[in-house]
Amino acid sequence: MHKVDYRLNALVDASLGDVAPLPELALAAALNGATILQYRDKHGSTRDMIDNARAIQAAIAVASVPLVINDRVDVALASGADGVHLGADDMDAQTARRILGEKAIIGLTVKNRADAERAASMPVDYACIGGVFETVSKVNPDKPVGVDGFSTLRAFLRESRPEMPVGAIAGIDLARVPAVIDAGADGVAVISAIFRAADIAGAARDFRSTIDAALKARQP
């Protein structure tokens, strides 16, 4: 396992194509504070996803920010991405690790205690708990865990895997950053609040500075 800087995960979703080309969006985030990028496409063909992942990687090469692919180990492998982010219904992390190798970044979504126990026992580099709040970016049948639920799951992961960074996702705007950081988050995953902002670069910078300030304030 290796250390992942999860302070600001800018999630480049295929639905953002109406805003600008995905590589352009990814680059704007990468140059303005994102510490990791995730490409997500729930409906695209495998070929389109590979092409998009390669284009995003080429665009962000100047920024040295890692790119992980949501759900799709095959796309991560074929595109040469830095890793994959897996949900509970995706390929298990042990198999993904065997396929992608020791250098790959592997993240896991945590929605409940069972997911947290899985994350604690699997060869993953980070976990992301959520949804914390309601979100319009994804159809989610599960109720949001809220800040209290996040804090409970985070406490378990801290006890089980103290070295593993844990992020928060879903419905997180700038005003909610201090609360989730205070609850134990090492960073946040953001889509709309960055990529649908009037000033994408400025929004990314604001998130990064707010996250860094909240992390500094939390230190004993």
Side-chain angles (χ1 to χ4, degrees):
M1 304 303 99
H2 48 274
K3 185 68 173 177
V4 174
D5 185 348
Y6 199 84
R7 284 176 293 169
L8 179 53
N9 176 8
L11 211 156
V12 185
D13 190 90
S15 65
L16 297 166
D18 64 313
V19 177
L22 300 187
E24 183 180 316
L25 295 175
L27 181 59
L31 291 177
N32 290 281
T35 56
I36 186 169
L37 293 164
Q38 183 181 152
Y39 166 48
R40 184 175 76 182
D41 189 341
K42 295 294 187 181
H43 306 292
S45 70
T46 299
R47 178 176 294 179
D48 285 346
M49 287 190 69
I50 292 170
D51 288 345
N52 285 336
R54 286 174 173 164
I56 291 169
Q57 276 191 294
I60 66 172
V62 296
S64 299
V65 175
L67 173 69
V68 299
I69 309 300
N70 183 264
D71 295 347
R72 300 287 299 273
V73 175
D74 58 335
V75 173
L77 184 65
S79 67
D82 296 288
V84 68
H85 181 92
L86 301 169
D89 297 328
D90 298 325
M91 183 184 294
D92 68 275
Q94 286 181 324
T95 303
R97 176 65 68 196
R98 190 165 67 247
I99 291 170
L100 296 175
E102 290 303 312
K103 292 184 178 179
I105 295 171
I106 298 180
L108 208 60
T109 294
V110 170
K111 297 181 178 180
N112 50 46
R113 177 61 180 249
D115 290 345
E117 291 173 355
R118 187 180 305 111
S121 66
M122 287 288 175
V124 298
D125 301 290
Y126 72 85
C128 191
I129 297 173
V132 180
F133 306 105
E134 293 283 357
T135 178
V136 297
S137 68
K138 179 183 175 183
V139 176
N140 192 348
D142 302 298
K143 282 184 63 177
V145 299
V147 174
D148 289 343
F150 175 92
S151 182
T152 299
L153 292 170
R154 178 64 181 104
F156 171 80
L157 288 171
R158 184 180 288 110
E159 215 173 276
S160 308
R161 292 277 305 276
E163 81 293 347
M164 183 173 70
V166 175
I169 190 170
I172 298 174
D173 57 21
L174 207 57
R176 285 170 164 168
V177 167
V180 293
I181 296 292
D182 191 55
D186 297 300
V188 299
V190 183
I191 307 175
S192 300
I194 288 178
F195 292 118
R196 294 199 177 275
D199 177 2
I200 292 170
R205 288 194 297 270
D206 288 345
F207 264 93
R208 175 62 182 275
S209 63
T210 303
I211 291 163
D212 287 348
L215 288 169
K216 185 176 181 181
R218 192 180 70 189
Q219 291 177 356

